[in-house]
Amino acid sequence: MVSASLRMYPKADCIFRTAEDRASDPSLPETQCDFEHWQFYPPRGYRDDRPNRPSQLIFRMQLSYTVEDEEILLIRAPVGYVFDAECRVVTYPSSRIFNDTAYDGVNPLVPDNVLLDPNLAHTVNPDKRLFEQRYNVWPEEVELVSCLGRENEARMTLSAGLQEYRGYLFRLSVLRNPSRTPDYNYFVLEYNGEASEPFPGVDIWAFGNTSVLPTTTAASRADYPTYNIVTITLRPVNPVPNGGHLRVTAPSAFVVPTDCKMTLSVHELERPNVTAYPEGTERRAVLQWSEFLPGDIICQGDVTASSRGRLLLTKEQKYMKGHVLYVMTLEVTNPQTTSSTADEWHLESYEDLTVNTIIDDSYVPGFPINTAVQSFAFLKPESSNAGVKQRLDFNMSFPDTVEIGDTLIITAPVSYFFSESGDVRCHEYVFLDGSMTKTVPSCSANTITWKLTDESIPATSGIRFMVQVQNPGETPALNLFQVRQISADGVKKSSRMIAGFEIIPQLRSPSVIHESPTEQCRSDVKVVTGLPCEGTLSQGSAIIRFTPTRSGQLVSVQAHVDDDKYDFLNAMFADGINGPIQIYGRNSDMIVAYEEVHGGVEVQLVIHRFINPATPGISQWSVTTYNLGTPAGVTATTTVMPIVPCTIDNGECGQFPYEASRRDEKLNLPSVTVLGYILALTSSTISPIYYNVPDAITTFELKGDTAHLVNDVLRITRPPGYTMLAGTLKGLTAVSFGENGLDFMRKFSQDFDNPEDYYAVLTQPIPVATLFRFQLKVSSPELAEKVTHWAFKTYRVQPLLDEDGDIVDATMPAYPWLGRIITATGTNDGAFSGFLLVGQVPFTIEPTLKTPGADIVLKMYFDIVDGVEAEQYVRMEVTAPAGFVFKDSCLYTGSSQFSKCTGFKNQASLVTVRSRLKGADILVQLAVSNPGITPSPNNFYLALFQDEETQYVRYSSALSYEIQGMGVVYKGNNQLGEEAPCFLTFTPVRDSPRASPQLSIVITPPPNAGFRLLCGVSPLGFLEQPACMLGDVNDPLTLVFKNATLVEGKAYTIGVRVLNPGGKPNDDFNYWGISLTDHSAQIFDANLRVAGLDLRSIPLRCNGLGWTTAKPQVLGTVMIQLRVLHKIPAGTVQKFVIRAPEGVMYNEDASTVQVLPFPLPLRLAIPTQVAGDELALFVNPEESIAIGTYNIRFEVSNPTTYPHDNTWSIFAKKDISVEFSHVMTGYMPSDVSPFDINVATALPSSLAMRVARPWLGFLVVLAMLLRESSR
C-alpha cells in the first residue's frame, strides 16, 4: 500500500453561524474553520477523543494496485479500541466524510473569505480550497457490502473498483475508545493483498504517565487524623486553559478539606531552562505554564468536606500545557479504616469552572491503608541549612507489641543521610530511653533499620534515641519522615509519617568578587582609582552572583572577617538589568535588596559604599533569599512605625525579613581577602614638582595597618606618564631593601619597555603602624595626565609545597619567584592622589634697593612662551619671603599685560588685561617694602591661575636677594627702669643721596617692650645738633639733619637718652632699628635687627665722668663715680671694667688706680689690670660692697685725635654676664670737667663726712646732668 493515515487533527475552536445569520448576510461563511476540523461538531461530525467514549475515525488510503474483485479491508486499531459488531461506515457520497448532513453529494470547500489553516500542511502551497483538490472522490460503483467489528479489529467488505495511486477517504465508527492513549498507538490497514506501514493514532483525552503516591499509608485514628500529602503525576493531552480547572476525586473514605492545599509544578525532568528565553514577553509566556508560585493556583474542596478537590487556574494567566508532565500534591486525610486494596482515584480537567466541557479524564490506582503507629516525632533541629550535620532526637511508640522478628525502619526524606558512604554504622547513635536497649541499628543512606532478635517492645511503650543526620541540599519534594513496622513475613503492620523540617537550600554557584568602585576608597582621599578597594576600613564595592533554587522577592547580604563585620550602614545597590534595585532594609550588619529572583535564573547584585572591616583576612559572605511578607504562624513585625525609607547616607532604614521566610541561603562563603591598609601620607613629595624632569626624586612616607616581614615584597605602581628609574630605590626610615628593580618579567606589569611596577624585597621587618620612608627617582610626565594616583601593595611569597602540603622549600627565591604562590597582604587601594606637577614660569627679580625696610621697586622678568589661557583672565600670584610687604596697589608703573595688582603683606595678586598670558621676557614692576633682615627661607614664588581657580597651572620659585643692612652696634645702660644715654654706632653701606643734604636718622626701640626715647642727643662725630622729634612709649625717635653727608663704609656714632622699661623685653623681639632716610623720607640704608641689651636690676648707679685735662697727647687723670644704693652681696660682682674711647691709653702702673674716698673691696693679688682700652678692677668674691659713693681714679694719655665713638663705658660683670653697664659721652679738647675730681675724691673729717657726704654726691650728680644737657 502506497500510504495510509488518519485524517484527524487536534480540535480547533469552530463557531458555526445559524441560518438566520447567513440569511441576513449571505457573504458570511458558514464557519471560519476548515472543513477538515468539523469532525468534533455534531451533526457534521461525531468524533470524540475522550476515554471510553464512542467516536468515529477518518482514514485515507492510497493503493498500489487497482482492485479487480470484491475484497475485505482489515482495520487493525491499537489495543484498547473496541469496534461495533456491526460497524457503521461512510464512503459515498464523499461529501459526508467531513459533514454527515451533506447527503446532496456537494463536496465541501473553504470559501475565499476564510483563511486556510497553516497547520493543515497539505492545504497550502499551493492553496487547495476544494475537497477534490485534496482527495479523490469515492467511486459510486464501489459499494460497502458489510462491516463487522470485534475488539480492536474491523473488517469492511468492498466491491471492486478502487483505482491505484488515488487517495480515498472513509469514515468508521468506534464503539469505545481506550481508557488512555495506548502505549503502542499505531493503526494498520490490509486490503487487496497489500498492507500499510503502521501509522500513528490520535491521543486519547486521558492523562498520561499518571501515578498516585502517598506520603503515608497509615490509617487515621479517632483522636489523631493522619494527614497525607498525595503526589499525583499526570501529563495532560490537551491544555487546561486559564479559567479552567482540574478535578481530583479520591476514594470515598478519604477527606479533602474545604480549604484544601495543593501545589503544582512541572516535573524536574521536563522543567524548561527559563534563562534560555529572553527577558520580557517570551520569558513570561514560558513562566505562565511552567512556574506556579504560592497564590498562582487555588485549591477548592466541597463546602461539606468530601473526597473531592479542585485546582482552579484563574490567576496570573496560568495554565497547564498539553503533553507536559506535571506533579501535583494534594493534602488529604486518610480513612480511619484499613484497606488491603488500592482503590482508584479519578482525574478530570475542564475548560471552565463548570463540568459541562470535560477535556481529559483518567482513573488511577491508589494505595492500601494500614494501622497507624502510636506516636512518632523528633525535637526541633539546631539547623535547617543545607548540608549541615547534626543530631536529631527521635521518640516513637507502637499500638501493638513489636515482636521478636519484627523490623523497624525509619526513612528520612530522600537526600538525607544517616550514614557515610560505604559505612552501615549509625554515627553518633545514642539510645536514651525505652525497651530497645539490645538492638543496634544499621544505617544506609536515608534509612535506619532495627531487626529485633533478642527483645520485644511492649505496646505504647516509648522509645527515644539520637542519631546524626546530614541535611540535604534542599527541601525534598516529599519532605516527610516515616516509621514502619514490618513483620517477619514482610507484612506492614503499622506505619506513620510526619512532616520534616524545611531545608534552606544552598544557593548555587555563589561568588563574591571585588568591583571597581564608583566612588573614592577612602573618605579623606578624593581619588576614584578604578582599582578594587581591598584595604581595611576602605569603602568597597563587590559583585555578588548566585543562582537560586527557588523563587523569592528579597535578598540579604552580610559579611565578616573573623568576628569583625563589614559595615553596610550606608551601602547602596547599583542598578540591575531591569532598573534601580530598591533597598528593603539596611543596618550596619546587613543590607536587604527588594529583588525578584527565580529558581535557576542567575542573579547579580552590585553593592557599593560598604566599609571593609578593620581586621585583615579572608572574608566570609552570607547571602539569603526570602519571600516577602509575614509567614504563617509568625507574629507580625515589631518594627517601629513609620518605616524610614532608605536613601543615600541616611543610615539604618527600612525593615528586615523574617528568618522563617528564608528560601535559599549560602552561609560563610570564603571570598575576597581584606588586606591591611597602607596609608600613603600626604607629606610624600616629589622634587622638583615640574613636568618633564628626567631625574626627579620622589619621597614616599607610608604606614601600614599590618606588620610586614622580612622577604615581603613591596610593589610600587606608577601613574601613566612616569618612568621609574632602576637602581634608584633607597630606604630612608625604618625600611631597607634587598633585591629590587623594574618588573621587566611582567609579574604585575603589562608594558615591557616601561613597566608600570617596581618591586622591592624587604630586608627588615616593619611593625604595625610604623612610619617608613623611602626614595625613588623617576622621570616625570611631559604633560598632564588624567590618572595621577600611585598604588602600593605588599605580597608574601609562600613556601614551596609538595602534593601532601608539606613544605619542600621555604627559602626566598629570586624575582620573578617562579613556581611560588604569592599572596597579597597590604594595599593603599591606590588612595594616594599623587603629586601636583605644574609647568614652570622661569623668572628673575631685580630690586632697586636691598636696604632693610626700604620701599623699593621690584622688577620681575618672566617667560611663558606656550601661554596660559582662561575664560576671563589669568591671575598671577607672587609670594615673597616673609617680611616683604607689597603695597595695596602694587603695580609701580602701568603694564600692557596686567590691569591691576593687589597687595597684602607678602603676597601680590595680578590680573591680566586679556584672557591669555603669553610672551617672553615679560617685565612687571612691583612696589614693595624690604624686610628688616634677610628672611629664611628666602625664596620668591610665582604661580599662574585660570580665573578664580584655586589650583595653579604654572609654578616656579627663585632665590631672593640678601638684605644688605648697615653694621650697627647698640650700647647703653642695662638697668630696668633707668633713664640714661644710649649710643648707636653705624657704618652705612651706601652714600647718602646727593639730591639734598637733608637726611634723618630714625631710631626704633624693640616693639611693644616699653622703651621711651628722649631728646638728649649726643651728636659726637656729627658737627650739627639735629632737630629731635620724639614720640610716646614704644614710638621711634627721629633726628633731622639739615645739612649732613654720610659716606659708605665710614662709621658714625649718635647718642640719645632712653628710659628703659620696668620689665625685661621678650628675647625674641629685643632688637633695635635704625633707618637712614632722605629728604623725601625714603629709606636709603638701615638695620632693623640691632641686638638690644639684656636688662638687669642691681643697686648700682654711675654718676658721671670727670677729668683733669682734655688736651690731646697730654697725661691726665680721669674719674668715674659709682654709687651703691644698697649693699651688694658678696659674689654678685666679680669685676668692674672701664672701656676707654679708641686712642686713649691707660697708665699701666697699678698704683695710679685709686678708689676714693672709700676703697672697693678689691682682691689683694692683682687688684687691677690694664688690657688695651680696658681697665679691670677685680672684686674680692668673699666681701660684699657697702652702700656709698665710689670714685675710681686712673691716669690716661689723651689721643692725638678723638674718635667718632668718643664714649666711655663701665661694666659690672660676673663671669661673662654683664650685671651692670653704663655708657657716657667722652670729653673733647675744649671740654671742661663738670666737677673738680680732687674735691670729689678728698677724704672729709668724720663730722663733715657725716654731714656733707650726701650733699657731695648730690652736687656731683647735678654737675654731670648739667654737662650732659649742654652737649
Side-chain angles (χ1 to χ4, degrees), residues 133-144:
Q133 292 175 313
R134 303 177 185 179
Y135 309 107
N136 292 108
V137 176
W138 190 276
E140 183 177 359
E141 64 273 14
V142 180
E143 296 180 351
L144 175 68

Side-chain angles (χ1 to χ4, degrees), residues 1096-1237:
R1096 302 294 182 94
S1097 180
I1098 188 172
L1100 183 64
R1101 299 292 181 267
C1102 180
N1103 289 339
L1105 175 73
W1107 59 91
T1108 58
T1109 179
K1111 293 180 179 180
Q1113 297 181 324
V1114 174
L1115 185 65
T1117 301
V1118 175
M1119 184 196 77
I1120 294 177
Q1121 188 179 77
L1122 295 177
R1123 181 161 59 95
V1124 177
L1125 304 179
H1126 305 286
K1127 183 176 73 173
I1128 300 176
T1132 303
V1133 175
Q1134 293 178 339
K1135 65 179 177 178
F1136 290 96
V1137 178
I1138 299 171
R1139 183 177 295 149
E1142 183 181 358
V1144 176
M1145 302 294 292
Y1146 289 103
N1147 188 336
E1148 295 186 4
D1149 185 354
S1151 64
T1152 63
V1153 180
Q1154 297 177 301
V1155 182
L1156 300 170
F1158 301 103
L1160 284 169
L1162 302 181
R1163 70 187 185 189
L1164 297 178
I1166 313 178
T1168 64
Q1169 184 179 15
V1170 173
D1173 61 352
E1174 289 188 350
L1175 169 64
L1177 293 85
F1178 298 97
V1179 178
N1180 187 341
E1182 296 180 356
E1183 294 187 45
S1184 61
I1185 303 175
I1187 299 173
T1189 300
Y1190 299 88
N1191 298 300
I1192 304 173
R1193 287 179 52 152
F1194 50 89
E1195 292 182 357
V1196 298
S1197 175
N1198 291 335
T1200 302
T1201 302
Y1202 285 90
H1204 69 90
D1205 183 10
N1206 186 16
T1207 57
W1208 290 79
S1209 303
I1210 183 167
F1211 306 96
K1213 291 186 175 182
K1214 180 180 181 181
D1215 297 326
I1216 63 172
S1217 174
V1218 178
E1219 300 296 327
F1220 173 85
S1221 70
H1222 188 82
V1223 183
M1224 300 159 285
T1225 303
Y1227 49 85
M1228 297 296 289
S1230 60
D1231 289 346
V1232 178
S1233 177
F1235 53 86
D1236 187 342
I1237 63 173

Side-chain angles (χ1 to χ4, degrees), residues 54 113 160 481 527 601 614 806 862 894 913 955 957 980 987 1098 1174 1200 1206:
N113 57 355
F481 284 79
V527 174
V601 180
D806 295 327
F862 62 92
V913 176
Y955 179 86
S957 66
T987 304
I1098 188 172
E1174 289 188 350
T1200 302
N1206 186 16

Side-chain angles (χ1 to χ4, degrees), residues 217-499:
T217 59
S220 295
R221 293 157 33 119
D223 60 338
Y224 184 88
T226 297
Y227 298 109
N228 188 4
I229 298 177
V230 178
T231 301
I232 302 171
T233 59
L234 67 163
R235 186 187 301 276
V237 174
N238 298 291
V240 183
N242 182 259
H245 76 280
L246 184 70
R247 178 172 296 208
V248 179
T249 304
S252 59
F254 286 85
V255 176
V256 177
T258 302
D259 294 325
C260 53
K261 297 178 182 178
M262 277 188 181
T263 65
L264 183 65
S265 62
V266 176
H267 194 279
E268 61 181 356
L269 297 179
E270 298 188 11
R271 196 171 295 152
N273 180 9
V274 178
T275 58
Y277 297 88
E279 286 276 1
T281 304
E282 191 170 349
R283 181 176 292 183
R284 286 195 297 272
V286 174
L287 292 174
Q288 285 175 359
W289 60 265
S290 64
E291 182 182 72
F292 298 89
L293 299 177
D296 287 349
I297 58 175
I298 298 173
C299 181
Q300 186 181 80
D302 288 341
V303 175
T304 300
S306 67
S307 61
R308 185 167 54 233
R310 289 171 289 278
L311 184 149
L312 309 184
L313 296 168
T314 57
K315 292 187 173 184
E316 304 298 332
Q317 300 300 312
K318 298 293 182 178
Y319 71 98
M320 295 175 68
K321 187 176 182 180
H323 302 285
V324 174
L325 184 61
Y326 286 91
V327 178
M328 180 175 66
T329 66
L330 171 64
E331 185 175 302
V332 301
T333 302
N334 283 353
Q336 293 186 16
T337 57
T338 61
S339 171
S340 59
T341 60
D343 296 333
E344 288 186 329
W345 292 59
H346 189 192
L347 308 179
E348 303 163 280
S349 61
Y350 295 89
E351 287 189 353
D352 51 29
L353 299 183
T354 69
V355 294
N356 296 329
T357 311
I358 191 170
I359 306 174
D360 291 344
D361 185 5
S362 289
Y363 286 89
V364 185
F367 46 87
I369 300 296
N370 55 259
T371 304
V373 167
Q374 181 78 18
S375 65
F376 179 47
F378 57 82
L379 299 182
K380 182 179 179 180
E382 295 179 357
S383 174
S384 58
N385 284 95
V388 171
K389 291 182 178 180
Q390 60 184 330
R391 276 185 177 182
L392 278 186
D393 189 331
F394 287 93
N395 64 78
M396 57 186 178
S397 62
F398 298 88
D400 301 311
T401 299
V402 181
E403 299 173 344
I404 293 175
D406 285 355
T407 300
L408 300 180
I409 302 173
I410 291 180
T411 303
V414 174
S415 66
Y416 278 87
F417 287 96
F418 288 116
S419 66
E420 304 291 341
S421 178
D423 188 354
V424 296
R425 293 175 299 171
C426 300
H427 288 273
E428 298 192 30
Y429 174 79
V430 178
F431 189 82
L432 299 175
D433 191 24
S435 303
M436 199 168 55
T437 58
K438 299 179 182 179
T439 306
V440 177
S442 63
C443 287
S444 175
N446 63 325
T447 62
I448 309 175
T449 304
W450 294 265
K451 187 170 182 62
L452 278 66
T453 58
D454 297 323
E455 58 186 338
S456 61
I457 303 172
T460 70
S461 174
I463 296 170
R464 184 183 173 198
F465 63 92
M466 295 178 69
V467 67
Q468 177 182 288
V469 64
Q470 180 178 346
N471 293 346
E474 59 184 1
T475 303
L478 292 176
N479 189 25
L480 296 165
F481 284 79
Q482 179 177 347
V483 60
R484 290 173 293 159
Q485 177 190 0
I486 309 295
S487 68
D489 55 3
V491 176
K492 185 190 294 185
K493 299 171 70 174
S494 65
S495 66
R496 189 161 186 171
M497 191 168 283
I498 58 174

Side-chain angles (χ1 to χ4, degrees), residues 969-988:
V969 176
Y970 173 86
K971 55 189 176 182
N973 186 284
N974 74 341
Q975 296 300 295
L976 291 169
E978 283 296 303
E979 178 185 334
C982 73
F983 299 87
L984 292 107
T985 298
F986 60 92
T987 304

